[in-house]
Amino acid sequence: DTGVSQDPRHKITKRGQNVTFRCDPISEHNRLYWYRQTLGQGPEFLTYFQNEAQLEKSRLLSDRFSAERPKGSFSTLEIQRTEQGDSAMYLCASSLGAGVGVYNEQFFGPGTRLTVL
Amino acid sequence: RKEVEQDPGPFNVPEGATVAFNCTYSNSASQSFFWYRQDCRKEPKLLMSVYSSGNEDGRFTAQLNRASQYISLLIRDSKLSDSATYLCVVRSGGSYIPTFGRGTSLIVHP
């Protein structure tokens, strides 16, 4: 399967614990996005990488959230000191882009469903 | 006002019906528009891009009205398999970041 993959698919944790999610984009894609989606809502943007550079981060993202894409391939999203309000589906998407303003189709991974007890 | 607004529905229609969804956007500098489809507990997938001249793909027609700042999606001859949530996506010029609406739920029944 050459699509976007995410691991784990489900994560249950206790409040206050740290969690880390991994995303493997489509191999030739240079753009990588993280989103959060709750029931009845569309995906909400969290952060964006172009190759290994984190170019944008949502103003809504607290300091407990951090993301990396160290070699411009896979990415990790870490949430520290999880809260019940962090419970959501975390989606990763990748695309092949060239130039500012050029937007190509995003391909989404299956998501990681986080439940914070 | 939210940047992208959609009626969440659900729209409940019989097979064979024609159904239309609208999506309004607030940023007049928006340049790219898309419809994504999301099945229950699945990831979103691109349904179609929306061009200024409108575009059609089989039973699906998408249109853009810049003056009134909305895009529409028309589905003709609805199939049971069309049941899903349809997400409106808007991107402003010069930005890499698309904004998703909350989605419109469509239920097609026999």
Side-chain angles (χ1 to χ4, degrees):
Chain A
D1 186 352
T2 57
V4 179
S5 61
Q6 293 187 245
D7 183 69
R9 296 291 303 277
H10 304 273
K11 179 70 178 178
I12 300 174
T13 191
K14 292 183 179 179
R15 189 178 55 184
Q17 298 295 303
N18 298 344
V19 294
T20 300
F21 310 142
R22 176 179 171 124
C23 170
D24 286 89
I26 293 172
S27 58
E28 64 269 25
H29 284 186
N30 58 338
R31 294 180 178 173
L32 187 147
Y33 303 76
W34 283 99
Y35 295 88
R36 175 172 60 194
Q37 187 175 26
T38 54
L39 195 62
Q41 301 298 318
E44 175 191 25
F45 169 73
L46 295 179
T47 191
Y48 160 69
F49 290 86
Q50 184 158 304
N51 300 310
E52 67 276 5
Q54 187 175 21
L55 296 187
E56 284 205 45
K57 190 174 175 181
S58 169
R59 291 188 300 273
L60 304 174
L61 206 60
S62 82
D63 292 342
R64 297 183 297 106
F65 287 71
S66 63
E68 293 183 339
R69 194 182 182 198
K71 297 181 180 178
S73 55
F74 73 92
S75 175
T76 57
L77 177 69
E78 181 183 16
I79 309 174
Q80 296 182 326
R81 305 182 302 282
T82 51
E83 302 173 356
Q84 289 183 325
D86 297 331
S87 295
M89 175 73 85
Y90 289 83
L91 291 163
C92 174
S94 70
S95 69
L96 183 62
V100 175
V102 176
Y103 177 79
N104 293 320
E105 177 185 357
Q106 290 188 332
F107 292 84
F108 282 82
T112 295
R113 184 170 296 280
L114 173 66
T115 303
V116 182
L117 301 175
Chain B
R1 181 183 174 188
K2 285 189 176 181
E3 194 169 339
V4 178
E5 295 205 59
Q6 294 183 255
D7 180 347
F11 285 63
N12 205 318
V13 303
E15 270 187 294
T18 294
V19 62
F21 312 134
N22 279 348
C23 165
T24 59
Y25 60 94
S26 60
N27 187 345
S28 59
S30 297
Q31 288 193 351
S32 303
F33 308 90
F34 310 87
W35 284 101
Y36 274 70
R37 170 191 170 131
Q38 186 170 27
D39 292 303
C40 187
R41 295 189 170 272
K42 297 284 189 180
E43 69 273 22
K45 292 184 180 178
L46 180 67
L47 177 66
M48 59 198 310
S49 302
V50 187
Y51 304 121
S52 296
S53 56
N55 53 309
E56 187 173 315
D57 182 3
R59 298 181 294 108
F60 298 83
T61 300
Q63 292 196 317
L64 167 64
N65 185 317
R66 286 193 181 274
S68 301
Q69 294 184 200
Y70 74 87
I71 65 172
S72 64
L73 177 68
L74 180 78
I75 305 175
R76 291 180 297 277
D77 187 23
S78 299
K79 311 291 184 190
L80 295 177
S81 57
D82 293 335
S83 298
T85 295
Y86 292 84
L87 297 162
C88 169
V89 185
V90 175
R91 186 187 63 84
S92 298
S95 170
Y96 300 110
I97 311 305
T99 300
F100 284 75
R102 65 178 298 180
T104 296
S105 175
L106 172 64
I107 301 170
V108 182
H109 60 82

